[in-house]
Amino acid sequence: QVQLVESGGGLVQPGGSLRLSCVASGMRSSIYAMGWYRQAPGKQRDLVARITSGGSTMYADSVKGRFTISTDNAKNTVYLQMNSLKPEDTAVYYCNAVLISAMDGWGQGTQVTVSS
């Protein structure tokens, strides 16, 4: 099991930037991968970006070139740097972690609103 807490969401103008953070704690096994998902009203929860313990990353086509996922292992934290934000990026952003044990956990989400 792992507990995850997201932060960093807020209101930003189109073209602006935000950095989301997710702090992990309570793990009984090592983390295999961490990812950021987002869900807009009436939409399914979709993968935005993912990073594995080996440093491999993947991004949804809609955010490639604009978002960057990274980790600070000493702080048990994963980040999502979001640049050139668009109104279509408005959603609740959730952090997810998959453990080596195959267990996973979700954070409560942080709201990102992109509006002029």
Side-chain angles (χ1 to χ4, degrees):
Q1 187 184 10
V2 57
Q3 291 80 51
L4 304 170
V5 180
E6 305 98 330
S7 63
L11 175 64
V12 65
Q13 293 183 328
S17 298
L18 286 173
R19 189 180 74 162
L20 306 183
S21 300
C22 174
V23 180
S25 63
M27 298 82 68
R28 294 188 179 187
S29 62
S30 299
I31 293 175
Y32 168 71
M34 297 189 73
W36 287 96
Y37 293 71
R38 66 186 181 187
Q39 186 169 27
K43 304 289 186 178
Q44 67 178 10
R45 186 175 298 186
D46 292 327
L47 176 67
V48 176
R50 171 180 157 115
I51 186 167
T52 70
S53 60
S56 178
T57 59
M58 63 174 295
Y59 299 90
D61 288 341
S62 59
V63 307
K64 285 182 179 177
R66 299 189 296 121
F67 291 10
T68 302
I69 188 170
S70 63
T71 60
D72 184 336
N73 292 330
K75 298 180 179 180
N76 294 320
T77 301
V78 62
Y79 303 96
L80 184 67
Q81 179 67 46
M82 305 186 293
N83 299 326
S84 301
L85 283 161
K86 305 174 181 179
E88 307 93 271
D89 296 317
T90 296
V92 177
Y93 284 71
Y94 298 91
C95 179
N96 169 260
V98 178
L99 308 183
I100 296 296
S101 66
M103 298 183 66
D104 66 358
W106 289 90
Q108 296 301 303
T110 184
Q111 176 70 50
V112 171
T113 303
V114 185
S115 175
S116 60

